[in-house]
Structures are given as structure tokens and as C-alpha cells.
Amino acid sequence: MTIRTRFAPSPTGYLHIGGARTALFSYLFARKNQGKFILRIEDTDAVRSSAEAIGAILDGMRWLGLDWDEGPFLQSERFDAYRAHAQTLLKRGLAYCCWCSPEELDEKRKAAMEKGLPPKYDGRCRTRADRPDGPFAVRFSVPPGATSFDDMIKGTMAFNHGEIEDLVILRSDNTPTYNLCVVVDDATMDITHVIRGDDHIANTPKQILLYRALGYPVPAFAHLPMILGADKARLSKRHGATSVTAYRDSGYLPHALVNYRARLGWSYGDQEIFTKEELIAKFSLESVGKSPGIFNPEKLLWLNHHYIKESEATELAPLLMAHLNALGVDASNDARVPAIIGTLKERAKTLKEMAEGALFYFRDEITFDEKAARKFLTPEAAGVFAVLSERLGSIGPFDEKAIEEAFGSVVSEKGVKLGALAQPVRVALTGGTVSPGIFETIAAMGKEKTLKRLAEAIKVSSRHDFSIEKK
RNA sequence: GGUCCCAUCGUCUAGUGGCCCAGGACGUGGCCCUCUCAAGGCUAAAACACGGGUUCGACUCCCGUUGGGACCGCCA
């Protein structure tokens, strides 16, 4: 039997960081077992679902590389199937019509909650003989007894039917509800393993009852613990960016996100870094933990930085363009880009940071940090810049080695330390005191731009008057 | 309130009765390297929630307590 898993988000928002992990685990489990991974959109709530959200979810899934084998199926296109199943239940006497109004039930529920009683539907219409006019809903008739199942993550779970109310499966407007839809879909789509968040645990016995009433085999269940925010509350907008596309826009690499989330709740000994292939080969539901995990942005950042460092400059280049564009730089025809990325990989934790750090390479005019300029762009420095400029202008291949030699010669002639030369040059070229190594920076910047900047710096330094910038 | 789930460093986790006075990773501190900032190397501090059992022996098994969380919809 081929293993079939599914990810079934409701399109009421973007692909959430928590939902994406559920998707990831379902995906990994299917791939590990040479199974199929199905995508289904649970949009039975017409009011809260939107086409934009569906697009955003598909977008997020693709970006993360979670390719699905079948779907996306839309529940809104399968209403006939759900209604037919509800009719079957009605015919078999396993469901009944209910004329109670939602308002009335809502009041009863509130009253029960206040008294500290379980807010359960009293089953009033269950034995009702008459068929009054007006709209009615269809409820599943929960039989007496108890239901238990072996969760692949949490272990054996048992529920008394006394705690389960007769759930509505068809609303009074003839639309199906969630529990009916999942069961019908999972059954007819031959889903063998239902992997989802543990907020669905309480639904599971209801669904098992539905499978049985409908005569379908019951799939295996695996309930994943939730991801919480730093305050141990369920992850929400308050915890910062939570949609996967927001991470893309902030300069995260998709695999960093995948790797991070795989390790949140799952582990493989002490290993932290996994390629996608390793994840697939090593994943198992047995090694998924039972307890909820707290989302740690710092570690994600570390992983992202790790993957930036590991990536080739040429593969990062196209990704960086978008972030440069956002800062008003079009570097698409600039041949220096790979070399520039090479200088920034070690110190940019995100692509966004990298773009910001790369800005000085592209600007026509640089603005000097006032404090730095005051300290380093002195008349003495102007003299050194002139000598250096001459040296750099005469070297053959403009590479790091030749540049270092040029610096070496100036250093020994002037009898100064390298630092005393490097810092002023850094300010002259980048505008500030922080940058990649000075030789690699110069090499990446290119001869032309370097000499132009030095010439400008000589002018500024000779004057050594920054009163204009001072205001 | 009821039902259910969970519990190892601040965080993610290893650990399936002796290998553990508890290992790794992020973060934090220190040192080294060094042209700035990083990166890298070394190093330090940091945890088995509590109380009872079971056992020759419990982080590991059982019970209770406490603390977190989820669910209780004609939402999904």
C-alpha cells in the first residue's frame, strides 16, 4: 500500500510558519516512504476564505520547495460529495435533522459555561418526531461507548462518547462542515496518514466515528505539537513576521527555514544541519517530540547565515538582485556582483543585510560618516591616498594579491602599521569604519571606482572641513 | 468549568534503568586570530519542575502535585 499524506490548510490567511511545519512533516513522511503528498484547500467557509489566501499558500509552498503530487483540491468544488455522504448517514439513521436555531444554542452554551457545565448539545432533536417548517441542520448521532486510537506521536488516546456532542455535519444552508469534509476527503483520497497539529486531537474521535459510520477504513493519525511564541502563547502576528513569504522578503533562504523548522520538534541525534535529501532519508515520526516548541528567531538567523556562507556567489546573485532593487540599485548588468557577494557572505545574516552592506559598492556618491571622516580623512591621509592611488593605478591584474603588495610597499615606505593605512582607506572607499577586508573590498570594487573614490577623498581630506555634513 | 495533551540548560534538543556529578546546537561571557566588522578556533556559565513510590540502582518506569498548552462552534 502506498503511503499518502496531505496538507489541508484553510485559506483564511497566509501560509503560517506553524502550518508550514505541518506541511513539511507531511511532505517528509511521504517522500521518505516513497508515498504521495496531496494538497487540499479547505475552503468550505465561503465567508472567511479568499482567493488571495489560496495564492499566498501555493506561493509559500513552492518557495519552500514542498512540491505536491496531487491537487490542489478545493473543498468548495466537492460539496455534492459531502451532501451525498450526509444523505447516506441520514438514510441509515446515523444522523438526524435539527431545527434548533444557532442563537438559541449559543445562549444555552454560554449559560452552561457559566454554570461550569460542559457546553454540550442536549440532543433535543434527536428523537423529534415532527418536521417543522423552516431551515434545519443535519447532526451526526454519536453512539454510546468510547473510542480510542493510537497516535503515532502521542501514543494511545481514549475518549468517552459522553463527552462528544452530536456534531453538525450539514448547516441549515445545506453547506457541509469541517468534520464531515475532512473525513469524506481523507477517505476518498485514500489518505493513509493524517499528520496535523495537535489542536485537532479532540476532533479525532468524532472523525473516527464518522469513518466507521460511513464504512471507510480509519487512517493512522500523527498529531504534531504546536509551535509557540517566546511568551509560550500560540504563535501569532504579535510574535513578528509569521508568514513564510515575509521571511522571503526579509532575505531568508528557503532551505534555512526548512532546516530550522524540521529541527523544531524533530531531531536526529546531535545533527543540526541537514540537506533536503538528508531530511527525507532521516525523517521519522518516531523521533518527533511530544512537547510544544518555542520559535527561536536567533537560531533561524544563524542557520540562514550558515546557508548564505555555504552558497556560491553565483547562486546568491539572482536572489540578491531583488533586495538591491528594493534599495534603488539596479545591479543586473554589473559584472562585479559575484565578487561583491564574496566579500559579504561572511558577515550578512540575511540577503537584505547583504544588499544593505553592498550599497557602497554601487553608489555614485558616497556619504561619509561624519565621525569617521573627522578622524581619518585628514590632510596627512590625503598624502597617503595620493601615493596609494598611484601604486594601485600601476598594478597589472587588479586582484587581491597585487593590491596587498601595493599596500605593503606603502606601509614599509611610510613606516606605518597596516591598520593606520587601512582604516583611512576604508573610510575613503566605503564612507564608514566597518567593511569587509580592505584588499578584498578594493578588488571587488574594481580599479576604476577605487581610484575615483580615492581622488574624491583626497579633495575632502585636504580640506578636512566637515561643517557642511555637520548640520 | 469539563475533556485531553505536555514537562532535561533562557531556547531547540540528545538521553529509552547503570555509559550521565547529563552530551550537542542557538544565544550569552572570556581568550586567541586580526586592517575595522564579521567569520573561525578554544573556553566558561547554564537544565533533569516538585513529592512519593518501584528497583541493588532512576533523567529514564508508576502515582500524585504544580506549572504550561489545546479543544469544548451551523470556524477550520
Side-chain angles (χ1 to χ4, degrees), chain A residues 312-432:
Chain A
E312 293 298 326
T314 46
E315 47 185 339
L316 254 20
L319 303 175
L320 183 66
M321 292 304 171
H323 293 277
L324 282 172
N325 280 337
L327 295 171
V329 173
D330 176 16
S332 48
N333 292 316
D334 197 322
R336 302 175 304 162
V337 169
I340 288 173
I341 290 175
T343 69
L344 264 11
K345 279 197 327 188
E346 298 291 315
R347 51 214 102 210
K349 291 193 199 300
T350 65
L351 292 171
K352 196 176 172 188
E353 260 184 48
M354 185 180 276
E356 285 158 0
L359 235 36
F360 73 83
Y361 284 112
F362 301 106
R363 292 266 191 254
D364 288 329
E365 301 275 320
I366 54 169
T367 41
F368 295 106
D369 172 73
E370 194 198 315
K371 231 177 113 186
R374 247 175 222 296
K375 183 169 178 190
F376 294 106
L377 301 188
T378 59
E380 299 78 57
V384 182
F385 289 161
V387 178
L388 183 69
S389 204
E390 186 193 308
R391 286 298 142 77
L392 289 175
S394 65
I395 57 180
F398 202 70
D399 59 22
E400 248 185 272
K401 189 164 168 284
I403 294 163
E404 187 168 355
E405 279 164 11
F407 267 73
S409 70
V410 176
V411 162
S412 54
E413 268 169 45
K414 298 274 175 184
V416 292
K417 283 192 172 180
L418 177 58
L421 178 58
Q423 261 328 64
V425 174
R426 192 184 316 279
V427 176
L429 299 181
T430 73

Side-chain angles (χ1 to χ4, degrees), chain A residues 184-259:
Chain A
V184 170
D185 281 342
D186 285 340
T188 58
M189 292 176 187
D190 298 317
I191 301 301
T192 57
H193 297 258
V194 173
I195 300 169
R196 70 221 314 192
D198 69 8
D199 48 338
H200 284 288
I201 285 178
N203 282 325
T204 309
K206 300 176 193 172
Q207 292 167 194
I208 290 175
L209 253 16
L210 245 16
Y211 277 103
R212 292 203 185 120
L214 256 9
Y216 286 123
V218 179
F221 293 97
H223 287 100
L224 268 18
M226 306 256 83
I227 297 177
L228 311 176
D231 55 0
K232 297 199 175 182
R234 201 173 161 166
L235 210 55
S236 71
K237 318 95 228 155
R238 290 182 295 108
H239 304 289
T242 52
S243 77
V244 301
T245 35
Y247 281 94
R248 175 178 59 195
D249 298 342
S250 307
Y252 285 81
L253 262 20
H255 189 63
L257 227 50
V258 166
N259 193 153

